[in-house]
Amino acid sequence: MNNKKWSEEDVEKTLTKLPPVQDRQAKDDLFQAIASRTEKELPTRFSPRKKKPWVFPAMASAAAVLLAILIIPPFFTSDNQLTTDNMNQEESNLNETAPVENNDLNDTDLDSHEVAVNNNEEELPEAPETPSIEDDDNEMLNEHDEPAQVMTKPARVASVAYIAKSYSVGEGSSANHYITVEEYELDESVNREKALLTSVKESDTTSGHYLNSLQDVTSSGDTVQLHFTDPEALQALSSQEYTFIEEMFQEIVPLYGYNEVEFLVDEEPGLIFGPRGMAQSLDVTTHNRGYYLVEENNEVGLISARMAGEVMREDGTPLTFEQTVEKMATTEEEEGWYESAIPSPVEVTSVTIPGDTARVGYRIVEDGDVEEEKLHLFFEALKLTAKSFTLDSLEIINVDSGDTITYDMGEN
């Protein structure tokens, strides 16, 4: 081998004798390529220094890897199982909580459902109180289209009771006895059964106060039950007392909305009712058309058209409310033992019934002088008259002043 040492001049001369190299790459590109290559591997004439093997660290590493393979997978499996169980439980809770009355959810329902599933910490939206449901004909049902339900009527209350008093016309054995009706103001509002109980006991003018045996009053529909403690409580009634009590039931009971009276003793039907003997029930009439005034010993009371014998029909047909009020302005009695409940200075101008409300307009004639008591009895007569008709309320209006008095016919 030629061991000649090369100088720089020898190298240059030798390189100039070499054939030219055909390369289209620019010098900068070649330089970049060579520099990049140099960074990746050492020159071929240098051998990398071999590292000494480390046996024990390698074995430890292998053991750690093996242990990790054995331990880690069960954790992943357990976590996945827990996650799956939680999701199943949440879906079950959603199915139980969210009331879906239709299989076809609208867009709003789907959005609410997705929000509840994706956000476990938020509360589920409450279901609407009256959800809209589409039927087979795609007609929307609203709250008014729900199936009809049996509605319980509100209990009728009373702030007054009606007291029956005996009124006599004539003297001695030829005297005629009539029943008048007066208001009795209660200390507090009670149901109509308790008010009727008060009415019957306060109306008792019998010699032995036989109605004290009346213990309770209940009702069922249009029938009222009188509960007595003694089956012979009314046995000792005289003929006159029996007539008074029977007429008292006829006058008072209809004012509370009943048309039949049942007599009970220890929940068993029947008692001895004076000269009538054993009686289980008594029919009362709600057919009355108007009230009139009677006066005795400077006391003024109201008497029914039925009791006074006034005309209550026209061509066989019961008078209407308008006809009844018109008829109350005059009387059929020539002797004058009772009179109209409409005072002479008072003029009824109109009677109308828009819907279930009766409206009576009146005025007091010019320079007319009406006693306060007579005006009150006029209002009371109209109210008692309205009870024989299916009305919800009564309005009595002074057409000149506009003053209005309103009575709720559901209250007695």
Side-chain angles (χ1 to χ4, degrees), residues 201-250:
K201 288 196 171 186
E202 291 292 330
S203 300
D204 185 8
T205 58
T206 60
S207 58
H209 297 287
Y210 302 117
L211 290 175
N212 282 339
S213 179
L214 178 61
Q215 184 180 34
D216 194 16
V217 174
T218 59
S219 66
S220 177
D222 296 332
T223 301
V224 62
Q225 295 89 27
L226 304 183
H227 298 261
F228 290 85
T229 58
D230 184 0
E232 299 178 355
L234 303 182
Q235 184 177 7
L237 291 174
S238 66
S239 296
Q240 184 175 342
E241 290 174 335
Y242 164 77
T243 301
F244 169 77
I245 290 180
E246 184 180 20
E247 289 294 339
M248 180 262 292
F249 286 150
Q250 294 287 346

Side-chain angles (χ1 to χ4, degrees), residues 31-267:
F31 178 79
Q32 291 291 339
I34 293 171
S36 176
R37 184 76 175 181
T38 305
E39 292 176 358
K40 293 182 180 180
E41 58 182 70
L42 295 174
T44 55
R45 57 181 178 177
F46 292 98
S47 298
R49 187 175 181 180
K50 293 184 179 180
K51 296 181 181 180
K52 293 181 181 181
W54 297 88
V55 178
F56 292 106
M59 292 178 63
S61 299
V65 172
L66 179 61
L67 184 61
I69 293 174
L70 295 176
I71 294 177
I72 294 177
F75 281 100
F76 284 107
T77 304
S78 177
D79 291 341
N80 290 337
Q81 182 66 31
L82 290 174
T83 302
T84 302
D85 292 342
N86 291 337
M87 292 183 65
N88 292 336
Q89 182 65 30
E90 291 169 359
E91 292 179 358
S92 176
N93 292 338
L94 286 174
N95 292 334
E96 293 177 359
T97 304
V100 180
E101 298 186 13
N102 190 6
N103 293 331
D104 297 331
L105 295 174
N106 55 32
D107 294 339
T108 304
D109 295 331
L110 286 174
D111 293 340
S112 300
H113 184 69
E114 291 173 359
V115 169
V117 173
N118 295 333
N119 190 353
N120 296 329
E121 296 181 357
E122 295 182 359
E123 295 182 357
L124 292 175
E126 295 181 359
E129 295 180 358
T130 54
S132 298
I133 306 174
E134 292 185 359
D135 60 8
D136 295 336
D137 298 329
N138 293 326
E139 294 179 355
M140 191 65 68
L141 301 178
N142 55 37
E143 59 182 356
H144 301 292
D145 297 324
E146 294 178 353
Q149 298 179 353
V150 178
M151 301 299 293
T152 302
K153 293 182 179 180
R156 294 174 61 180
V157 297
S159 57
V160 298
Y162 297 103
I163 309 302
K165 290 188 176 181
S166 178
Y167 177 82
S168 299
V169 176
E171 298 180 356
S173 59
S174 60
N176 293 320
H177 300 279
Y178 299 91
I179 300 294
T180 61
V181 179
E182 295 182 6
E183 272 193 358
Y184 177 86
E185 188 172 351
L186 300 173
D187 293 335
E188 59 181 358
S189 295
V190 298
N191 59 36
R192 59 176 177 167
E193 290 86 356
K194 296 299 182 183
L196 178 56
L197 176 63
T198 301
S199 292
V200 173
K201 288 196 171 186
E202 291 292 330
S203 300
D204 185 8
T205 58
T206 60
S207 58
H209 297 287
Y210 302 117
L211 290 175
N212 282 339
S213 179
L214 178 61
Q215 184 180 34
D216 194 16
V217 174
T218 59
S219 66
S220 177
D222 296 332
T223 301
V224 62
Q225 295 89 27
L226 304 183
H227 298 261
F228 290 85
T229 58
D230 184 0
E232 299 178 355
L234 303 182
Q235 184 177 7
L237 291 174
S238 66
S239 296
Q240 184 175 342
E241 290 174 335
Y242 164 77
T243 301
F244 169 77
I245 290 180
E246 184 180 20
E247 289 294 339
M248 180 262 292
F249 286 150
Q250 294 287 346
E251 290 295 309
I252 289 180
V253 172
L255 296 177
Y256 293 92
Y258 303 115
N259 55 30
E260 184 180 10
V261 177
E262 290 182 346
F263 303 108
L264 299 175
V265 178
D266 295 332
E267 304 304 323

